[in-house]
Amino acid sequence: MSTETGNRPETAEIPKAVSGPSSYLDERIGAGNFIRRNMRKVFPDHWSFLLGEIALYSFIILLLTGTFLTLWFKPSMGHVIYDGPYAPLRGVMMSEAYASSLHISFEVRGGLLIRQIHHWAALLFVAGMMAHMLRVFFTGAYRKPRELNWIIGVLLLTLALAEGLTGYSLPDDLLSGAGLRITQGVAISLPLVGTYVSFFLFGGEYPGEDVISRFYTLHVLLIPGILVALVTAHMVLMWVQKHSQQPGKGRTNMNVVGGPFFPSFALKAGSYFLFTFAILAGLGTFAQINPIWLFGPYTPADISAGSQPDFYMGFLEGSLRIMPAWEINVLGYTLPMSVIIPALLPLGLVMTGLALYPFIEQWVTGDRSEHHVVDRPRNNPHRTSIGMSAITFYGLLWLLGANDELAANFHISLFAITRFGQIAIIVGPILAYIITYRMCLGLQRKDAEVIGHGVESGVIKRLPHGEFIEVHVPPAEDIEAHMRGKTPIPALPDGSDEKGIPPKGMRGPLGRLRGRMSRTYGGEKIPMDQPHGDDHGAHEEIGEHEEHAAVGATGEGRSLDR
Amino acid sequence: MTRITARRRHPLARYAVLLLALALLGVGYAAFSPKSQSADAAIASGKVDDVKAGEELFKSHCLSCHGPEARGTADGPTLVGVGAAAVDFQMSSGRMPATTVGAQVPRKPLPAWVTQKKIDQIAAYVQSLGGGPTVPSKDQVDPAKGDPAKGGELFRANCISCHNWAGAGGALTQGKYAPNLNSSSPAQIYEAMITGPQAMPVFNDSTITPQQKRDMIAYIVSVREQTDPGGFGLGRIGPVTEGLVAWIVGIGGLVLAAIWITAKRRQAND
């Protein structure tokens, strides 16, 4: 463990592997200092800090496998008659895009493996981003100075969804065609501009002859280009701002406790890349994904039961499926609310909510200070509850996107599931909020109890008068430091003058709401070292403090003294 | 000649002509109608005994729901005119005799007494009641004689909206469902098309010709017998199981790996 304080890295003993090349480069391009400083950059150790790397490494694998696929893929909707080795499709009319995807799957050496790794990596890319984002959210790691990096992250997630959607459509199979049809349905449902947007996107009537080649350009050039730029910015900012750390022994807002980049963190990151690659290669080898040959070529006339998007689009599918039919006709124009609302509302709520959360929190708490030590989720109960109710909202929609598979495989009525979803999407997030809030407070009480009373040692002691007690000992030093890392959530000062007139920003309905939210959100709900209860009032030293054990005083029990 | 010419004006003549025309039409219809032909064929080909035996079986196993002479009751529909194909489909897949009344009668293992011979006898009896589609011949359902590619196109156009692209089945409204096709025999698939059991529509021979039906059977059989080229098929139901695997195996496995490589070394002394 080494400690980095401020901007001055510890330069005590630099490994030869670093000092050698850095002095070589220093003598030639004067970069020695830069390399020496950055190679010794300290990274804190916690498993959750590696979640974002799943996305990063999946992205690298996506770029490599994707390049392989472009060598054979033909982004064309020109019609061909299939003449390849897959017998059940021989002689069938299909697009060149689909035929070349079949060619990659069945004729190109290693093609199917690479295609499957590419698709699995796409799923892990988005899943890794989501897991990473939840870690950042629940620990409050998005707070100043990292708000901009958080915004970049939200942009990355949005672009990843677009990248996934375009990639999913490229093979032009029947399943992707269903997704494309929904995309077009959403585009054309937009008020006023819908028809134009749809005709612009598809180059005329759906499906037209253009959309695959257009999506191809977006999928292999434009979106990945922006993704690479944003990923780089994300990493540079993280590097420059230094990594946040969990509260713990010796960790403050002014330092980073962990291992140096070289050799310790570079080794861990390198091995984690290999883990990610191993999982992806394993899945690509053993688990079939997107078997386009089973779906058949796309024609707008066909649709299959069980048509689903990839998981990250599942929440949109679910919102569409539980939305009751609702259509408004105004002056001969139709507003298909049953498409507009489910397509735009959940996506807008989730993405806008994510992007704005750091700023809303700052507005509510009035907190303008820097944070490098993250929160434990329990220590900011309202944030954690908001996060959990968002997860419930998203998760329910996601689940209901698969309502037909649930109905078919678990023998539940489809209507019952849909009705359940319509109710649960309102009730679920509220329940999640309340339950999470109570759990957070309960966990905080547990922490306060551990700090106040110590932990059970398993040693039962018999007192001279016959009473049995269990000896409590203070918690381990690092655990106690971790718990004591809790700081009160900042709140706006009441600030009313002696006449009870609130300060300038707190007047009016919005200002009063802000004040009320701040008082609810902020503050210390369960103080750690506060005396509580009558007989524990005077604080003894923890080690000697003895709690009454459940074992009663039964006069003649044998002594259990050590 | 004059006699006929004279009678031609008789007040009853027009009725006589009408009767004659109707009789001709009726006889012509009876001669050319496929239904009566197959019903006659069943009896003509020495299956009358089957009809008798089938009637006895019907009385002991089917009558309680389908009523005397299969005229139907509140618990079961009439079987007059459903044909031998319907009986063969329902009984050989274990759906009939039904044990429970739900949204849909499920496929289940056959009861001990149900043998192909007894199914044939009950089928012959039901066929004798009012005709209907007959059991297809072996040749009609031979997957080897169909063209799977042509069948695939028809399958995608007509079947997968309920049965899924790989015949994995799917949900329908009101608790009904389109069953998985993996356990259906070629004959059952054919019979289902011509009889339209439960929620399924009828695909008669003018909608889909017998040759096309054989092509579709060839497709279904070739796809379900195919070894998944990409590894485990994950139920062939598409992105739902794929997403589940990505999260459980992918993220789950990588979280374990992360915990492993960031774990602190245990202190040597306690």
Side-chain angles (χ1 to χ4, degrees):
Chain A
M1 287 262 170
S2 67
T3 308
E4 185 183 34
T5 308
N7 277 327
R8 291 191 308 278
E10 227 173 54
T11 45
E13 5 139 9
I14 290 167
K16 195 118 174 85
V18 175
S19 66
S22 68
S23 57
Y24 177 89
L25 286 174
D26 193 30
E27 286 154 17
R28 283 156 188 86
I29 56 173
N33 243 334
F34 176 81
I35 288 172
R36 209 173 302 137
R37 194 172 67 238
N38 283 299
M39 283 291 124
R40 303 300 283 164
K41 188 101 183 164
V42 169
F43 280 86
D45 240 2
H46 191 268
W47 65 268
S48 69
F49 296 162
L50 296 182
L51 292 174
E53 290 182 27
I54 299 175
L56 177 67
Y57 301 144
S58 301
F59 185 56
I60 293 169
I61 291 166
L62 279 170
L63 290 177
L64 295 174
T65 51
T67 308
F68 178 92
L69 295 175
T70 60
L71 303 181
W72 288 276
F73 181 69
K74 293 191 181 67
S76 153
M77 293 174 91
H79 299 287
V80 290
I81 292 173
Y82 182 66
D83 190 26
Y86 185 68
L89 286 174
R90 211 172 288 149
V92 173
M93 188 74 105
M94 57 182 64
S95 70
E96 276 191 89
Y98 184 63
S100 62
S101 304
L102 290 175
H103 175 73
I104 291 171
S105 305
F106 294 125
E107 286 162 88
V108 174
R109 192 176 294 262
L112 182 58
L113 177 68
I114 298 292
R115 236 200 78 217
Q116 297 206 125
I117 292 179
H118 189 73
H119 205 121
W120 282 117
L123 296 192
L124 267 201
F125 177 50
V126 185
M129 277 173 132
M130 287 178 172
H132 170 63
M133 188 196 70
L134 292 176
R135 189 274 293 176
V136 171
F137 179 84
F138 282 114
T139 59
Y142 55 78
R143 288 173 299 175
K144 189 180 170 186
R146 298 186 175 80
E147 307 101 310
L148 295 182
N149 223 8
W150 170 261
I151 295 276
I152 292 177
V154 175
L155 282 177
L156 278 169
L157 183 61
T158 318
L159 281 171
L161 298 188
E163 180 73 346
L165 178 78
T166 48
Y168 178 83
S169 304
L170 287 184
D172 202 25
D173 57 276
L174 190 54
L175 194 59
S176 77
L180 202 59
R181 184 49 145 171
I182 295 180
T183 313
Q184 191 255 350
V186 171
I188 209 166
S189 77
L190 298 173
L192 302 175
V193 294
T195 332
Y196 300 97
V197 170
S198 170
F199 271 66
F200 176 70
L201 184 63
F202 291 90
E205 284 282 1
Y206 177 86
E209 303 268 304
D210 294 332
V211 68
I212 295 291
S213 49
R214 289 179 179 183
F215 271 21
Y216 183 70
T217 311
L218 295 179
H219 183 76
V220 308
L221 183 69
L222 184 66
I223 304 177
I226 304 173
L227 278 175
V228 169
L230 287 179
V231 166
T232 313
H234 201 68
M235 305 294 294
V236 167
L237 268 178
M238 182 270 293
W239 193 282
V240 170
Q241 292 176 335
K242 299 177 194 70
H243 207 288
S244 57
Q245 58 185 345
Q246 297 275 358
K249 199 174 142 197
R251 298 179 187 180
T252 69
N253 258 327
M254 303 300 291
N255 69 2
V256 186
V257 179
F261 178 76
F262 190 90
S264 112
F265 190 72
L267 209 62
K268 283 183 182 175
S271 71
Y272 204 55
F273 174 79
L274 294 179
F275 272 114
T276 312
F277 186 52
I279 293 251
L280 286 175
L283 282 173
T285 310
F286 295 112
Q288 178 165 288
I289 189 165
N290 204 24
I292 50 164
W293 53 90
L294 289 179
F295 306 149
Y298 180 57
T299 62
D302 298 352
I303 182 74
S304 175
S307 290
Q308 298 279 352
D310 273 344
F311 85 83
Y312 44 83
M313 288 290 172
F315 75 113
L316 292 176
E317 180 83 15
S319 68
L320 197 61
R321 288 185 185 201
I322 63 166
M323 181 71 196
W326 180 23
E327 203 173 88
I328 300 175
N329 286 295
V330 196
L331 304 170
Y333 293 94
T334 305
L335 283 179
M337 304 309 274
S338 47
V339 179
I340 301 175
I341 292 179
L344 302 182
L345 191 74
L347 188 68
L349 270 180
V350 171
M351 289 301 178
T352 318
L354 280 174
L356 293 183
Y357 196 84
F359 306 100
I360 295 173
E361 187 180 59
Q362 266 177 30
W363 181 73
V364 167
T365 58
D367 183 15
R368 296 277 182 275
S369 55
E370 287 202 5
H371 295 275
H372 297 288
V373 177
V374 299
D375 284 331
R376 297 173 79 204
R378 66 185 66 173
N379 290 340
N380 194 330
H382 280 291
R383 178 204 292 146
T384 306
S385 304
I386 289 170
M388 284 310 292
S389 64
I391 288 182
T392 311
F393 178 72
Y394 181 94
L396 278 170
L397 289 180
W398 184 8
L399 187 75
L400 290 158
N403 63 357
D404 56 338
E405 297 296 355
L406 294 176
N409 290 296
F410 298 104
H411 303 292
I412 314 168
S413 159
L414 185 70
F415 286 180
I417 297 177
T418 306
R419 180 64 68 199
F420 162 81
Q422 287 166 343
I423 296 165
I425 201 62
I426 312 280
V427 178
I430 299 172
L431 272 182
Y433 195 100
I434 297 167
I435 293 169
T436 312
Y437 189 76
R438 300 321 304 179
M439 280 174 71
C440 285
L441 292 193
L443 287 166
Q444 282 195 36
R445 280 200 188 91
K446 177 73 190 161
D447 288 352
E449 188 196 310
V450 169
I451 296 290
H453 299 288
V455 292
E456 293 159 356
S457 63
V459 175
I460 308 290
K461 206 171 181 179
R462 189 184 182 203
L463 298 182
H465 59 272
E467 182 188 358
F468 287 99
I469 54 152
E470 183 173 5
V471 178
H472 279 59
V473 295
E477 209 180 352
D478 53 341
I479 291 174
E480 186 178 350
H482 188 52
M483 286 176 175
R484 286 188 182 279
K486 174 182 172 186
T487 48
I489 306 154
L492 289 170
D494 185 22
S496 304
D497 58 16
E498 61 273 12
K499 287 176 194 150
I501 298 169
K504 228 178 168 189
M506 311 272 283
R507 291 173 207 160
L510 190 64
R512 279 199 297 277
L513 175 72
R514 185 184 176 197
R516 230 183 4 257
M517 281 166 73
S518 189
R519 279 191 296 283
T520 315
Y521 194 91
E524 185 73 292
K525 265 123 203 143
I526 313 286
M528 271 223 155
D529 291 309
Q530 209 179 45
H532 48 93
D534 297 334
D535 45 346
H536 301 316
H539 238 273
E540 300 149 73
E541 205 182 314
I542 288 168
E544 282 161 29
H545 181 88
E546 288 159 343
E547 179 116 288
H548 296 288
V551 188
T554 52
E556 44 147 73
R558 274 195 308 256
S559 169
L560 289 172
D561 260 2
R562 267 196 286 194
Chain B
M1 191 70 184
T2 47
R3 223 165 55 128
I4 293 172
T5 314
R7 295 273 167 96
R8 210 169 56 186
R9 311 269 180 219
H10 194 272
L12 291 176
R14 68 184 78 168
Y15 296 108
V17 170
L18 197 64
L19 263 174
L20 193 67
L22 277 173
L24 270 175
L25 191 73
V27 170
Y29 181 78
F32 294 107
S33 157
K35 262 187 197 167
S36 55
Q37 208 174 26
S38 51
D40 290 346
I43 299 165
S45 62
K47 283 186 181 167
V48 188
D49 283 340
D50 280 356
V51 173
K52 268 256 163 349
E55 187 173 6
E56 291 310 309
L57 284 166
F58 182 88
K59 278 178 183 159
S60 48
H61 295 290
C62 319
L63 183 131
S64 60
C65 295
H66 291 291
E69 286 164 20
R71 280 179 308 213
T73 67
D75 294 329
T78 174
L79 300 184
V80 176
V82 300
V87 177
D88 191 58
F89 173 83
Q90 299 283 356
M91 292 193 67
S92 68
S93 67
R95 290 186 170 85
M96 289 290 150
T99 46
T100 51
V101 181
Q104 193 164 318
V105 184
R107 171 181 275 272
K108 59 181 179 296
L110 303 186
W113 67 269
V114 177
T115 59
Q116 190 56 49
K117 186 166 172 50
K118 287 186 173 151
I119 294 173
D120 289 344
Q121 287 169 341
I122 295 177
Y125 170 65
V126 170
Q127 184 77 30
S128 76
L129 292 174
T134 50
V135 176
S137 68
K138 279 222 159 49
D139 182 64
Q140 275 177 301
V141 299
D142 187 358
K145 294 196 173 120
D147 176 352
K150 276 191 188 137
E153 287 189 292
L154 290 162
F155 182 70
R156 283 190 289 278
N158 294 291
C159 313
I160 64 171
S161 56
C162 301
H163 285 288
N164 160 294
W165 55 78
L172 300 175
T173 54
Q174 311 284 5
K176 287 181 272 204
Y177 57 92
N180 190 315
L181 300 182
N182 288 341
S183 31
S184 310
S185 70
Q188 284 168 352
I189 295 171
Y190 193 100
E191 287 159 356
M193 283 192 268
I194 53 175
T195 62
Q198 311 212 19
M200 183 164 161
V202 174
F203 296 88
N204 60 30
D205 287 353
S206 54
T207 316
I208 292 176
T209 64
Q211 176 57 42
Q212 289 174 328
K213 288 192 173 93
R214 189 160 61 185
D215 291 344
M216 289 158 85
I217 290 168
Y219 181 77
I220 295 167
V221 170
S222 79
V223 165
R224 78 179 177 204
E225 283 175 355
Q226 172 191 115
T227 317
D228 282 315
F232 297 115
L234 307 180
R236 290 187 175 178
I237 60 164
V240 173
T241 39
E242 291 164 8
L244 215 58
V245 169
W247 275 92
I248 294 171
V249 179
I251 297 294
L254 284 170
V255 163
L256 290 180
I259 292 173
W260 187 25
I261 63 176
T262 56
K264 277 197 205 110
R265 207 186 318 149
R266 268 176 204 283
Q267 304 285 309
N269 51 339
D270 196 18

